[in-house]
Every structure is written in C-alpha cells, then in structure tokens.
Amino acid sequence: MSDQDDSGRKVDNSSDKEKEVILDLSRENRTGLAEAIFCEAKQPNQLVEICEQIKREERSMLFTRMGQAQYAYLEERFSGLVQYDPVSKTGIVAPQEIRSESQIAIVTGGSSDIPVAREASRTLEFYGQPSLNIDDVGVAGLWRLLDRLDELSVKKIIICIAGMDAALPTVLGGLIPSSIIAVPTSIGYGMARDGETALRALLVSCAPGLTVVNIDNGYGAACAAIRILNSF
Amino acid sequence: MSDQDDSGRKVDNSSDKEKEVILDLSRENRTGLAEAIFCEAKQPNQLVEICEQIKREERSMLFTRMGQAQYAYLEERFSGLVQYDPVSKTGIVAPQEIRSESQIAIVTGGSSDIPVAREASRTLEFYGQPSLNIDDVGVAGLWRLLDRLDELSVKKIIICIAGMDAALPTVLGGLIPSSIIAVPTSIGYGMARDGETALRALLVSCAPGLTVVNIDNGYGAACAAIRILNSF
Amino acid sequence: MSDQDDSGRKVDNSSDKEKEVILDLSRENRTGLAEAIFCEAKQPNQLVEICEQIKREERSMLFTRMGQAQYAYLEERFSGLVQYDPVSKTGIVAPQEIRSESQIAIVTGGSSDIPVAREASRTLEFYGQPSLNIDDVGVAGLWRLLDRLDELSVKKIIICIAGMDAALPTVLGGLIPSSIIAVPTSIGYGMARDGETALRALLVSCAPGLTVVNIDNGYGAACAAIRILNSF
Amino acid sequence: MSDQDDSGRKVDNSSDKEKEVILDLSRENRTGLAEAIFCEAKQPNQLVEICEQIKREERSMLFTRMGQAQYAYLEERFSGLVQYDPVSKTGIVAPQEIRSESQIAIVTGGSSDIPVAREASRTLEFYGQPSLNIDDVGVAGLWRLLDRLDELSVKKIIICIAGMDAALPTVLGGLIPSSIIAVPTSIGYGMARDGETALRALLVSCAPGLTVVNIDNGYGAACAAIRILNSF
Amino acid sequence: MSDQDDSGRKVDNSSDKEKEVILDLSRENRTGLAEAIFCEAKQPNQLVEICEQIKREERSMLFTRMGQAQYAYLEERFSGLVQYDPVSKTGIVAPQEIRSESQIAIVTGGSSDIPVAREASRTLEFYGQPSLNIDDVGVAGLWRLLDRLDELSVKKIIICIAGMDAALPTVLGGLIPSSIIAVPTSIGYGMARDGETALRALLVSCAPGLTVVNIDNGYGAACAAIRILNSF
Amino acid sequence: MSDQDDSGRKVDNSSDKEKEVILDLSRENRTGLAEAIFCEAKQPNQLVEICEQIKREERSMLFTRMGQAQYAYLEERFSGLVQYDPVSKTGIVAPQEIRSESQIAIVTGGSSDIPVAREASRTLEFYGQPSLNIDDVGVAGLWRLLDRLDELSVKKIIICIAGMDAALPTVLGGLIPSSIIAVPTSIGYGMARDGETALRALLVSCAPGLTVVNIDNGYGAACAAIRILNSF
Amino acid sequence: MSDQDDSGRKVDNSSDKEKEVILDLSRENRTGLAEAIFCEAKQPNQLVEICEQIKREERSMLFTRMGQAQYAYLEERFSGLVQYDPVSKTGIVAPQEIRSESQIAIVTGGSSDIPVAREASRTLEFYGQPSLNIDDVGVAGLWRLLDRLDELSVKKIIICIAGMDAALPTVLGGLIPSSIIAVPTSIGYGMARDGETALRALLVSCAPGLTVVNIDNGYGAACAAIRILNSF
Amino acid sequence: MSDQDDSGRKVDNSSDKEKEVILDLSRENRTGLAEAIFCEAKQPNQLVEICEQIKREERSMLFTRMGQAQYAYLEERFSGLVQYDPVSKTGIVAPQEIRSESQIAIVTGGSSDIPVAREASRTLEFYGQPSLNIDDVGVAGLWRLLDRLDELSVKKIIICIAGMDAALPTVLGGLIPSSIIAVPTSIGYGMARDGETALRALLVSCAPGLTVVNIDNGYGAACAAIRILNSF
C-alpha cells in the first residue's frame, strides 16, 4: 500500500495492493452477466493484475472504454490475449460460441453513433449473440428507415441508438412490435448538452414501451438484451 | 400612485396611475406587428384602462393569456367589445379583414396541444390571415401525418406544435420544403419538465432549418409567420 | 370549431370538433400495443367523444391518469363502461382475457410507490397479463428483499419501482438474472427533485443491464414488458 | 466491418464499411435543402468515402464544422475539390449560381460572433443566395445599430447573431418589420454558460415574432432562411 | 416552547417563545441599514411579538412580503401602527423624514414589474429617500426609453427592473453614466423560468458596470442604493 | 387489493392490503435507529393500520411530516396515543426516557428555520436525548452568534440549520471544534431555489469537516447525531 | 473578406476586414466608461488592427483576458505600447493619472481569488483610481477579517471577491456600512460548479444591500465602482 | 506586488507579496483542525513561501490536490520536507504520532474510488489516526460487502466512498449502527454528471442518519471524522 511506502509509518491497513480490485467472478452464476472491466479510470498496473488473474484461471472477460494506450500496454505483456476493437474501445478475452441466429438488431440514427453501436454489438458477441447492424437511418430522411422495416420487424429486440433529438426510437416504436432498448448518444452541440437532450426526449417519448439506458451506454443496452434472451 | 395613498407622504414620483401602462401604439408602423396585451399579471383596473383607450381611439387589439374572470370583468363593463375564446384564452377587438387564401397550416402532435394551436390561429385571425388546422397527428402513429402531407406541402408556412419529445416537427422537416416554426408545449410529465425537453429536442433537431419559439408560445409563432408574410 | 363560434368570422379551417382527437386504432396491429388515453389534459367533452366511439365500435380501451372527477363525469353518462381504480387512476374498458401464469413481478421500495405499481399492474391486466406484486421491500431493510428472492427469481420480468435514491433495482440487479425494468418515482423531498435523482441514479446504476422509463411511468414499464412477452 | 477484422468470428452483420454513411441524396427534392455533412465526429476515411461519391456523381456538397486537419487530409487526396473557409470551418463543393439580389442580412453583436455569421453566409452562398454582412453592432453602443437601420429594413430576412445576453435581436425586433432568425452564440464566460443564457434570453424576448435556432448554429439559421425564400 | 406543551417532558431547552425572534436592533448603527422583517414565513404571533416590541421601544420598522391577511391581523391589534401598501406588500412604521431631492430613479420594463419597483421605492421612502418612478419603458419600444433619457441621466443611481430577457438595463447602461442596480423579475413563462433567465442575462450583460441583485428583490436594490448614498 | 375490487377479475397477486406496509421492526437492533414513518404520501388507512400494530405490540414510534389532518384522523381513533407537535409536524408514541445531560445543540440562522429545528429536537427527544436550542443567530448580525459561543463550544455535536446562503455553519465551523451537522433549509426566494443554494454552499464550505444532510431534513440530522452518540 | 478569397465568387457583402471590429469610441463620453477589449476570442490580426488604431489616434485602452501569447504577439509589433500584467491578464495603454486618495478596497477570501482581484485593481488603475488590496481573509478564520475592519470601514466601496461558498461578503455586509460589490469566483471543485454556487449564495445573502456581478468578473466590479464614483 | 512591477505607477496598495497567503495558524487551537493547503490554484512561488514559513516555524502541514509537478518543484528546494503520495495527491509535513487503535474504516464501492479514499486515509494519518481500508465492495456484488460486515461493525466511524449511483452507503446504513460519512465521487459517465448524481442519491438516501460531504472530498470526510473523535 502506497500510504506506507512514502510515509514509512505503520497504519492499520488491511487492504494491500493486490486486493485493490476484487473480481466479482460469481456474478455470472447469479445474474447471467459476467463482470466487465470499465477501464476508463483504471491504472495500467490494475489492468495487468486483472489480466494475470484471467490467464491463471483461464477465464473469459470483456473490457469496455479501453483506450488504445491501455490496450498497447496489455498487448505488450499478454500478446494476443485481448481481441481489441478501436472503434468501440472494447477488448474481449475468450468470448462464447455464437449460439444461434440473430434475434437482435442494432440501429443508429447517424454515422457518428457507430462507436456506441459497436460497443453494443461487441458485448453481444462476447455473449455469443450475433446482431444485425443498420446504420445511418435517422428520421430526417424517413425513407431510409422505411426501407429496412421488414428486416427490423422480425427481430425480437431492437437496440436503437441516436443522438441530438433522438427521434428515431420514437418513430420506430410506432411502427414495430419488438422490444426497443434506446441508447441516447452524446452527439450534437449547443443544447444537445452531451446527450442529455437525447436522453430526456427518449424518456418522454410519445411511443409507448420504449426503455432507455444511460448516454452512450452501448454495453448496458446489450446487457439488457442478454437479460431478456436469458429469461426465455 | 398607491405609495402616496397609504403613506400620506409626498414623494418625487412622476409616474401616476394612468401612466402605468404605456401603449406602444406606433409599434405596428415600425414592425408590422401591433402591440398585444399579455394579461397574465395584469390587474383588472389596468385592463379597464386599456379598454377605455381602445374604445376612445377606435383601435384594434389582441389580448393573450386572458383568464375567464378577466374577460367576464371586461365584458360587464364593455359589453361586446372583446371577442373571447376560452380555449386559447385570447381576446380580440376589431380584427383585420381576412385578406387572402390560407398560406399557413397549424399542426399539433396531440389533442392536448390544441390550446397553443388556437392561440396561434387566433393571432393570425387578428391579422387577417386564415389558417389550416390539423390536430393530433403525432409521429407515434406515423400514417396520420402521411395522410395529410399533400395538404401541408402546399402551405408556405407550417406552425408545428408538439409536447413531450416533440418529434413531429423533425419528421415533418424531412418531408416538406415549407418554412417550419416549431412550438414546444408543456404537455407531459416527469422528465418533460414543463416543456423544456420538447424545446431542447427541437433546437437540436436533425432536420435542418427548423426555427423555434418559447414553450407554449403560439402567439409568438404566429407573429413570426406574420413577419414572413409581410416581407413578401 | 370554437374560433368560428366566438368570432363569427369565416376561416379556412378544416379541423372540426369531432376530429380534434384522432384515435390511432390500427396501432395495436402494428405494435401489439393499443393506444391508451392519457387523461391529464383532456377536457370532459373530449373524453365523452372517445367513449362514444368505444361504445359504437365495441372496442377495448385503457385510460391513464384519469382523475376521480373525470371518471364520475363518464360514469354518469356511460354507466358501467369504465372499470376505474382510484389508486392507479386508471380506467379499463373490455380488458383481454387472463392468458397465462404470471411471468412478471412488480416490486416497490416503499408503500408510497404503490400508485405507480398499480398503474403498471392495471396496464398488464388490460393486456391479459397477471402479475405478482411485492411492496415495501426497500434496501434500507435488506432482509425484506432477501426474503422474497426465491419468488422473484422465477419471474421473467421484474418491474422495479423506487423513489428517493432508488437503490432497490441496483441491488436486485446484482442478485437475479431476469429482465429488470426500473421505474423511478417522484417520492421524496429536497434534492429528490420530483424523482429526477431517482432517475439519474438508475441510469448510472452499477448493476449492468437495467433499463429505465420516465418518472412515475408505471404504464410505460408495463408496455415495455408487453413488448418483450409479445416477441417470444 | 471492423468487428469481424479483429475477432475473426462470423457475425450476422449486414452493414459493411461502405454503407456506414448513407447519403440522403433525394432530400433536396423533398425539402429544398441538400444534405450537409456535419464533420465534427467524422473519421477521415468516412470523409474520403463521401468525397469519392461526390466526385463520381458530380454532385455539390456543403461540409460544416470541418477542422483544418480534416480539410488538409481531403485537399491532399482531392486537390481543389473543396473550397474551404477556416473562419466558418465550412467546405463547399460546386455551389449554386448566385441567383439574385441579396434579400438577407447577417448581423452580429460582437466581432467574436463572426465565425457563426460566416457559417451562415457560406451556407447561403452554397444555395446561391448573397447576403449583406454587418458586424459588431451590439446594443451596448446603440448608435452603431441605428446607423445601419436603413440598410437592414429593406432586407426580407435578418439573421441576427449575438452572445452573452443577446439583446441585439430584441432591440432590432422592435425597430424593423423583417423576419428575424436569431442565433445565440457561446461567447461569454461565467453565467453565459456556453450560450445557454443567450438562447434563453432570446426565447423569452419581449420583441414579438423572433425565431431562434440552436447555439452557434449559423448553418441552421441559413437553412431556415432558404426555406422561407423557397416558399415564395 | 411547544415541544414541552404537547410532550409534557422536560428537555434542556433554553430557547423560549419570546426569544424565537431576536431583533438585531444595533445593525443600523453598524451598517446604516435597519433590520427589515421578511414576513413570508412568519407566524401571526411572531409578527405580534415584533409589533409589541416596536411600540414599547418607539422604533421604526420596515416589513417586506407582508400578505394582506398578515396586515389585517396586525391592524386589528395595533390600529394605525403599520402603513401598508398592497402592491409592494410592504408595511412601514415611523419612516424617516424625506431628506433631500431625489437622487434615484426606478425604471421598469413592463407594467407587470411594478410590484417589485414599489418594493424598492417604499424601502427608499422608509429611509427618507424620494425616487423618480418611470414605468413600462421596455426596449421592444425603444422610443419610450429615449423620451425619458434626460430625466434619467441626472440621477446618481438607477434601479432598473425588468423580467423576461431583461434587455432594458443593458440598453440603459450603454446610454447613461449613472450607477445602475438591475433587478430581474419573475415575469414571463416557459424558459423565463421564474426570472432565472432575466438574472443570467443581466449577469452577462454586454454593458459594463451593471450590478445585479436577486430575482424580484426590490428591497435589496434599494438597500444597495442606500449604502451608496450613505458613503458620500 | 383494490385491483380485484373494481375489476372483478382474478389476478395472481400475492400482496394484499395488510401487507402493503411492512414495518422494519428489527432495524433498531441492527442500526440503533428505529424505523420512522414518513407520513407525507401515506393514506389515512395506512396510518391506521400502523397505529393498530403499534398498539397491539406496545411499541414506540416516530412519525414525521404528519399533517394536522392526519393527526386529527388518528387522534379520533387512537385517543392520546400520538403526542403531536404542529410546528415540526412530528408525532411520537412512547419515547425513550431522557438519558443524560444534553450533548447536542440545535442552532438556527433565522426564525423561519424553526420548524426544521424542532423536527430535529423532537427526533432527539424520541431517542431520549435532550438538546439545547438557540434560534435566530444568523451571521448578518454576527454578535448574536458570538454571544452564545461559550454555550455552544461545550456541546459534542451542533446541528446547525440555515437557509438562503447558509453562511452560519461555515462561520461556526471556524470557531468551535465540535462535530457540525449542517441542515440547509428551503427558506428564501428567487435563486434560493427551494434550498438548493443553501445546500450547495454548505457542500463547498471553506470551513473543513462540516457534514450535510438533505434540505429541511431535521430528522436525518438528528439520526446522524444518534449514530455518533451510540458509537461512544 | 475571406468568403471571397477562397471561393472567388462575388457576393453582396458590405463588411470588409477593417470594419470587422468597430471601436465604440464615443462610449466614454456617454457613460464615463471607455470601451475595453475582451481578448478571449480575438484573433491576433484583430488585436493588431485595434493597436494600430490606438496608436494612430493616441488613445488609451484597457485589454482584459489577454493571454501571454496574445501579449507577446503585440509586444513584438508595438514594443512598449501595452503595459501587461500576467496575473490579471490585463493590458493597459495610457492609463489616466491617479486622481485621488483611495476610496475603494478590494478584499479576497483566499489567495486563489487574487487574479480576479488584480483584474479589478488594474481596471481601477486604468481609470486613475488607487485601491487598497487585502487578500486571504476568508471567514473560516474570522479574526483575519476582524483585524482589518478599521481599514475597510473608511472606504466608500468594497469590492469583495470570494469563491466556494462566498460567505465573506455576507459577513462583511453585516459589519460595515460601505457599498459592497461582490464578485463570485470559480474557485472550488465538485458542487462549486465553476462559481455558480458562490454566485447563487451571494444573490440570496442574508446581508441586505449587496450587489453582485458575473463569476470572475473583476473588470465589471471595477466598472460598477467607477460608475458610483463618477456620479458623486 | 506585480501591479506595480509592470506599470511602474504608484498605487495605494497595502498588500505586498509576502502577505498574499495568510496562514491561519491558530485555527487548530480553536477547531482541532489545522489549516490545510489546497494546492490546485496555487502558484509555485506561493507554495515555496508556505514551505519556508513551515520550515522556519518547525510546523506540521497537510497539502491536498498537490500535482506531481508542484511536488517536484518543492522537493527540489526543500528535499525530504514533504512526504508525497501520488495516488491521493497529498503531501504531509511532520504528521502527528499514531495515537490509538483504528476507530475508523474507509470503504469504497469500486477500485476507481481509491484516490479519494487515500486522500481521506492520508488526512487521518496526518492527525495520528489509523484507518481500516476496504476497497471495491460495491452493492452490485452484495456478498463482497456482507463478507466484511463484522470488521466494519466494530468501527465507530465509516467513511463510505462511492460513485455512479452511490448505493453502497445506503445499504451499509441499513446494516450497521456506526456513524457513516458518505463521499460521492466523480466516477461514471453520461448522467453521472461528474458525481452530482451520486451526491444527490446520497442526500435522499432511504437509510436514515447518513451525512454527506462534497464530491471527491476525502479530505473533508476525514476532517469530519476528526471532529467526532476530538469531541469524545
């Protein structure tokens, strides 16, 4: 523990460095969702520690919000362990086998929403779930969406990702009966306010039965989809 | 001045009761828009004072946000002077002649938006402008809007009124070339936050060229339309 | 149209009174969700108009946020048509047959959340879905929740309703694999800010895969559950 | 699709790289407004893809919020294709012929508002509309505005751009009859809050008939002007 | 103390009823400003207690935000003691002699701002300061203000009161050299947000040297003026 | 269950009326704090149900935010059971014996903060803790506070209650070594924003070691004090 | 005009480069306050243009928020013209003669507030007004303030600068009769929210007669002081 | 004073450089808490000045939010004087002797909260108080917390640190009787809003008797703990 290192003073401190990160490895048994590692505030040594445990126990793992530098640091030490995707900033170790036909579509309003969409599809992939990805079909050009309605209406779950005013999930919600998980994104400027307007618009949507997750939370939307699929 | 009445003390106070409300009667000449009386915070005696001036000078006048009680108070004293509409809470004195064919449509997302729509149509009526009113065509049932597109696309200006997530003006903006003045309304609960979410969603709309006015401001939208029509 | 009534002036106005409310009757075919009538801003005559159409066409209907006075007004005119519940402020006309065993549980953190919970259970009932209701099991007394875990973990969907800091769905999300639809409520004071804190806490929950609907939106949570059940 | 690249796993994924950006090329026919490319979150390869399509189909195009580095990247590959302006951060390909006398004035409150003003004038230029630009006439020095009133009052549309408290459009709105599209800017510090105060002040302006667009949205204001001009 | 009354239990409680309100009677000596009684949350018995002390000690006193019912309650018990003004909701006991010529003007943007203006003029009157009151000269009709500039520019202090976008103090600040104390008011709807927009617009005003007080705080503006006058 | 009553339809609903409110009676054993009943959103029948259980089990109980009407309803049915205090809106059943000398002082900035102070002192009384109450010693008249410093500095815990800018706890925090629990109140208008400004000012106080509870939460502050006393 | 440069197309554009910045040179005559140049968003060429005009017309000038790089750029071209202070980020050209004894004190709560204090003292210096500067006397150590009260109470105007909870101006306001202009600063973290909490606390201060300017606006506070001094 | 340096003009300025930072050295006597130096906005020369005084007077000192560069600057000049910890960004000079057995536990919800926890433990260490540190026991994996309950329940004070929805202190508050000081952290994204959601959730926690400090304020929580321990 660093406190001791630089002060040289004895303190009653039961947490030592290797216990700083406690992996909740039994969570998957309880909830069907393995723990994922949110990398944004993690120090390199914390990530190394986690990878050592993964390797030792031959476990699978999903990393989210992993920066290119974090990945490079790990790749140097654990070559080939982590499959990294720079668009979604996700790393995957030992994903599950693809189980079935795709039951999930991931739809974006604009091409700027793609990183969030890929975080969702990568999370699904980690759980062995393929997905249909349809990008850039925002409602300002309504025919782009209507062209794809047939494909979408046969999916059980739509993860619908949109920034700015996020009108896409609402329009979709009035057209198809599937479960719709809406993800607001931080795309936009001025009163878009880092996605808060998109989020609020989705929460008060005039289309009934939409559910919403946090801004830019592709990972959470995919987990919600996995919860649905696991229950049936 | 009431200060003097209850204190009995002389103060250097040049504003006396009949000067409290200064009608800006030359404004119409400058801007093409006559002054309207916003009644919400007006005392009955202030309204009486205004009506006396109107009658004396044989002027026309528009009253907005006029409560039923305020109207009744005036009607008792100036029988028949003010034409009152309780839905829009507007009162009209001596409106202009209907000048022309309707160049403006007023569209609402839900039937709860109708009072705001009527404030707009009554303001237009005051300026001699007829309007086409189409209600309850929100995007959660998209066909309701598509059914009316032909009628809408021949109008020069659409005043589009919607609450909650206010997706209607965005969808409309992607379908027709007309000028669109969007009015967010305070309809909705929870994160609708008295219309602020609708307003923000409109400001960051993915459909280009929408303009926006204040929440529930049917009067302002109509004035903006009059400015356009007066310039051509 | 009232504009014409009190002004006596001819306007080009194609919307007449009986068209003010356009029932989107085909919506159920498209989305599996019938239109519900949000009564909060509806005038009595608008509700009467809707009931006449329901009766004429022998349709089923769900009314939400219906005040006691609104119900009384309708009951006087259409005796026995609407089954009213004052706790949830819902009215039901001709609900579907109960189809199956309950697949949904509705859980509340405190007894003050019950009106929202009942709005959800009444909406489910309207669609023929029974539900298990467990009230007042907030995490400040954790054993109350742990006592009911066995009952909860066999349900496919949990609608979890909580105000204040809304910690209940998060704790539940770490314990069971079901789909969890969280509903923040406006219970609390000070920084609870009418449910906004509960909502925000749910959106950033450390338990993965929760989905969220608007504050106090029991109806929306039930519709989201119906979307899931309809897809499988 | 990058998902496949770094995982080597087969997924049911119908979106491939060249479909990530779907140009809505028929939009201009419907709305009179061609699609513009918002460059802020675009990857270089996405912009290259778009330029290739433009060149292949000999189309015109407007790019907004294009950084100097993005422009340099394109200029290297498509020399001379894009006419770039670093002040407004706009790029233009094959603009329309200048059609007519200027019907639009663009006015700024301070010299810091000029980038937004130029985004508006460049957008108008793209559509063949010349504009009169008057800068730095904020109301703290009222005579600067009054000096230019004659020039302004003959224009059909005023795009009025102001930051901080944004009093300029209000004062202008009381002096001239033209259509006024107000653009709040993010100029200012402290409670200016990145333009939100300017926006809110404009929405509640005491001058009737102002319309407003998003903060710093010179592009949107110009599009709104085009909608007006196209309708007459 | 009521705690004791209804519990009958002895507590170590040194505060008894007559000490609940401690008048800070020496404050005027220190600061030149006597304490005023903010009546909004005061119980009738607390006000009676204060009046008894005033009468006993033959003191002067200013009451702000005093409701009509509170006044009536006191008038019944202390007939003629308090000079009440219902517009400003102020009560005055034994004001100072009018000392001098008016050095202060109080200006309002609209007639709805008059109650706040009167709170300011009544506070000044309490301190023996006459004021010039000019109402309803908002900038939407600029000539109304320009007509009164000569009168205003000879005053040392202008208390300038405006709601909505509060552009009046800014315009005035660019025209005259006097000290300007701006008071935002809660007049307006929608994004006026109970005066917060007016306040924020004043704080970021492009006219240098304006100072601002809380929303609707006519009393505070007058006290600030007294501080200035007392220093010279 | 009311659902069954008005629909007559069988639902799988295990919660029946007498289970709606689950008293967490073992909580005091775990935490030293008995459950209190927050009455604000409680129905009369829910309160009756609770009182019946209290009487049957001869328990003690604290009710907070109990309205006069709620008390009257209970008093009629359980005469003398609840000791009610209308200032603090608290009801007490069978409080603990006063254990000791007072170790806690409760200090308010203004006389309008007294209801919150009394909620704290009543909660302490319920737990057998006497308190010293000092009211109306806000920092605008600093000597009022300095006069009482000797009394305050011998107390182990100060509950310090202040609205508006809440400067009192900060000043106190720089003068005495005791534990200070600060309670912001909703007193004030304009930018006081229902106590949010007081809360935020306390959280960023320049005096170290203050702790804060929710706005107007006298009950919570007293509970925090009990936690401290119970630990020593 | 750059539009023409990179497009080569003729536009009706009456604003050319040298008119982009219009110095409002007659403002000082009207208001006693010369125009200051807010440098934050200014391009180097705009500043050069201004300096050329200053030199040509032998004028005095105040620059605020001037970055070190902006100063260096000007110093290279106009050596010795601008007197720069890096703490306050102000530049001065040809200030007025020191007129009189200091009538103004500038007081800070903490040493982090000094840059704002120096912006105020430099602005005063520009207008020939000396000031007494007292730093780091925040109320958490009350004696530091009380030690300086005698010096402060003889000044006519106190500019009082404080961040975090900004309790200093309130305490000062209860102790001395001078005019107090309070400047909130952006010092602090968490709920300090870039000075908004300090600002709001000052606006609702329990000490009467404080006036407030924008966050970190030392310049504005000094201008307000100049307005006061100019009037007497 | 730098004002004089670059202007060469004499001003009445009694604050000179060495008085800019006034150490409040008697504060510990009054409050039991020595002054700490908040380094975030401090200039290097201000820190050097402080260290010189510390060395001269052989004092102890705590520095918070000290950047690595600030430390390096001081270490070069005062080698070995400051014991620095880069995780918590704290520097300590001459801490007190460890007095006793640990009475305080510091608990974090996730490993990203560790820097805040270390700021708290380092502050306690400065005052001679050892602490038990338990990390990464958030409620999404409830067993991790339950495993440590025995250790926690014997501590008098728990400093409980959590970001995102901050459910940990609430759950803990329902399980143990100790005093709980909750510290929200800025961990999370989207609607976490830099810790404001965690803060608000803690303030409205359904567990009674939690107290809260500012976001990321480990130092403040430790000071609050010292206040408690000093009182007993």
Side-chain angles (χ1 to χ4, degrees), chain E residues 6 9 12 14-15 22 214, chain F residues 84-85 96 131-133 136:
Chain E
D6 48 22
R9 295 162 58 87
D12 168 11
S14 69
S15 82
I22 303 177
N214 194 12
Chain F
Y84 184 66
D85 169 42
Q96 300 181 21
S131 59
L132 168 70
N133 289 265
D136 207 10

Side-chain angles (χ1 to χ4, degrees), chain B residues 3 6 9 12 14-15 22, chain E residues 84-85 96 121 131-132 136:
Chain B
D3 288 354
D6 49 25
R9 294 163 58 86
D12 167 10
S14 69
S15 80
I22 302 177
Chain E
Y84 184 66
D85 168 41
Q96 300 181 20
S121 65
S131 58
L132 168 69
D136 206 10

Side-chain angles (χ1 to χ4, degrees), chain A residues 132-134 137 144-152, chain D residues 14:
Chain A
L132 168 70
N133 289 265
I134 298 178
V137 291
R144 297 183 299 191
L145 178 65
L146 299 176
D147 271 10
R148 309 300 290 269
L149 265 191
D150 286 350
E151 285 168 90
L152 286 170
Chain D
S14 69

Side-chain angles (χ1 to χ4, degrees), chain E residues 89-106:
Chain E
K89 294 186 174 174
T90 49
I92 294 182
V93 177
Q96 300 181 20
E97 284 300 300
I98 297 293
R99 298 187 196 171
S100 60
E101 285 303 288
S102 161
Q103 297 176 296
I104 304 174
I106 302 176

Side-chain angles (χ1 to χ4, degrees), chain H residues 202-215:
Chain H
L202 288 167
L203 286 165
V204 300
S205 168
C206 51
L210 301 188
T211 58
V212 184
V213 297
N214 195 11
I215 297 162

Side-chain angles (χ1 to χ4, degrees), chain G:
Chain G
M1 238 292 301
S2 54
D3 287 356
Q4 298 158 311
D5 293 344
D6 51 9
S7 73
R9 294 162 59 85
K10 182 180 159 294
V11 287
D12 167 11
N13 191 329
S14 69
S15 82
D16 49 3
K17 208 185 285 171
E18 60 274 25
K19 281 186 190 156
E20 268 188 9
V21 181
I22 303 177
L23 292 183
D24 182 11
L25 302 175
S26 67
R27 193 192 285 175
E28 191 167 8
N29 296 340
R30 289 192 317 275
T31 68
L33 295 167
E35 191 185 27
I37 304 297
F38 178 68
C39 301
E40 210 164 83
K42 289 283 181 303
Q43 297 302 311
N45 69 311
Q46 291 178 318
L47 292 174
V48 165
E49 194 186 308
I50 290 165
C51 283
E52 279 164 354
Q53 187 177 353
I54 290 169
K55 222 173 163 181
R56 198 167 53 236
E57 305 182 3
E58 298 189 347
R59 296 184 46 80
S60 65
M61 184 57 68
L62 173 65
F63 297 88
T64 64
R65 312 254 162 163
M66 177 182 268
Q68 199 100 33
Q70 290 176 314
Y71 168 64
Y73 191 88
L74 291 179
E75 183 60 20
E76 212 174 288
R77 281 154 190 76
F78 306 89
S79 178
L81 179 71
V82 178
Q83 298 171 354
Y84 184 66
D85 168 42
V87 172
S88 60
K89 294 186 173 171
T90 49
I92 293 182
V93 177
Q96 301 180 23
E97 284 300 300
I98 297 293
R99 299 187 195 170
S100 61
E101 286 302 288
S102 161
Q103 297 176 297
I104 304 174
I106 302 176
V107 183
T108 63
S111 58
S112 305
D113 302 321
I114 288 176
V116 178
R118 292 300 167 268
E119 189 183 81
S121 64
R122 289 271 291 172
T123 300
L124 292 174
E125 187 191 332
F126 175 70
Y127 285 106
Q129 293 290 349
S131 58
L132 168 70
N133 290 264
I134 299 179
D135 291 316
D136 206 11
V137 292
V139 300
L142 199 59
W143 63 267
R144 298 183 299 193
L145 177 66
L146 300 177
D147 270 10
R148 310 299 292 269
L149 266 191
D150 286 351
E151 285 168 89
L152 286 170
S153 55
V154 298
K155 298 295 175 189
K156 288 186 173 2
I157 302 168
I158 315 287
I159 294 175
C160 190
I161 298 167
M164 298 197 286
D165 56 344
L168 178 58
T170 291
V171 170
L172 207 52
L175 295 171
I176 62 173
S178 313
S179 188
I180 298 178
I181 302 165
V183 189
T185 69
S186 52
I187 296 300
Y189 61 94
M191 289 310 290
R193 288 284 176 260
D194 301 318
E196 188 173 327
T197 294
L199 170 69
R200 288 167 58 161
L202 287 167
L203 286 165
V204 300
S205 169
C206 51
L210 303 188
T211 58
V212 184
V213 297
N214 194 12
I215 297 162
D216 291 336
N217 191 5
Y219 164 71
C223 288
I226 296 296
R227 281 186 183 267
I228 294 174
L229 294 178
N230 282 354
S231 299
F232 288 90

Side-chain angles (χ1 to χ4, degrees), chain D residues 47-64:
Chain D
L47 291 174
V48 166
E49 195 186 307
I50 290 164
C51 282
E52 280 164 353
Q53 187 178 354
I54 290 168
K55 222 172 163 182
R56 199 169 50 237
E57 305 182 4
E58 298 189 347
R59 295 183 47 80
S60 64
M61 184 59 67
L62 173 64
F63 297 88
T64 64

